[in-house]
Amino acid sequence: MAHDILCFGEALIDFHSEGRNERGFPRAFVPFAGGAPANVAVAVARLGGRGAFVGMLGSDLFGNLLLDSLNAAGVDCRGVARTGEANTALAFVAHDARGERSFTFYRPPSADLLFRPQHFREDSFRDAAVLHVCSNSLTDPALAETTREGMRRARAASALVSCDLNLRPALWPREVDPRSEVWPTLALADLVKLSKEEFAWLATEGEEAALERLWQGRTRLLIVTDADQPIRWFHPDAEGVLPVYAVPMIDSTAAGDAFVGGLLHRLALDGVASGAALDQLVSELPRLHTTLRFAAACGAITVTRQGSFTAMPEESEVLAFMETPAVPASQVSASATH
């Protein structure tokens, strides 16, 4: 079966801070190729999968750098469109002593915001096992509807639809509540990944109410991550907790994207390409836990390196990392909710 994992949305240049002057400000910023959906596509390709990126790049120096970096990583870029009407987006990344990052974005205007339904290739979804999106393509109303149109086309092509919220409040207009675009998008996703903070942000009326709203849409599996704290996962009929790996952190920039890339890669290899297949996966807990541990190992390795594309591990590294002592079975839990 097809194993292509299409990742739709933004690709941008992350300028990572380097060194400090006597007043504590960065001495320099070094460019790295990045952008959450692009990172996921690279993560899949580095693992040996068929990652593809779909989005708009500027016809500028940074757009050229991104396209070259994606191609060098083995990502299928046939779905990339170019424009001279706006430049490629930029983000300046600063790190604290623990490796946690903060962002300053130069967007909008930027090229990625100009992608429209007519820019999708007719054959983009033909070989897709998964379409993956993030919320950064929801900050502009026209692009938000384009994102949902892509999700609908993927579903019509029998692909699994995945969404990592990856919320960046600084990208949203101050007068807009992102939930107005986020909830209609989540309703189209079979698989949703949130951070602990994003789950709390969505659950304005409590977790149970948020879960019930997710189950009213297409969602069959919600995964909630919390750095090196245990993963929580939720299904309409079950939920569970799974410990992850604690490692020294250098740069957390692409950790979530590496996790998602590892997760989607394993799901595609395992033939999990529909909501019904997710239901079956949840019914086989050892299989689900193995998939989540693989994804967690991808994220753990990535935080020990700087950058985004450059930090993604190969499959052999992940499998070797997973040979470290397993988490105690007593720390793994699951329960039926109905």
Side-chain angles (χ1 to χ4, degrees), residues 274-292:
S274 67
L278 283 174
D279 291 339
Q280 182 63 34
L281 178 68
V282 171
S283 73
E284 302 173 24
L285 287 180
R287 186 167 153 237
L288 172 64
H289 289 161
T290 297
T291 300
L292 292 177

Side-chain angles (χ1 to χ4, degrees), residues 5 28 31 41 50 57 79 91 101 103 109 131 136 144 188 197 249 263 286 317 321-323:
I5 297 174
R50 289 165 50 177
L57 301 179
R101 72 276 192 263
F103 296 91
L131 173 70
N136 291 349
L188 297 174
E197 294 77 15
M249 182 166 62
L263 175 66
E317 296 178 85
F321 182 87
M322 292 176 69
E323 291 297 319

Side-chain angles (χ1 to χ4, degrees), residues 1-7 40-53 73-78 123-131 261 264-266 268-269:
M1 64 174 295
H3 287 162
D4 286 9
I5 297 174
L6 302 182
C7 301
V40 173
V42 170
V44 171
R46 287 293 298 274
L47 292 168
R50 289 165 50 177
F53 177 71
V75 172
D76 182 342
C77 294
R78 287 176 295 174
D123 60 352
S124 287
F125 303 100
R126 184 178 58 204
D127 296 324
V130 179
L131 173 70
L264 298 182
H265 174 62
R266 285 300 293 255
L269 287 179

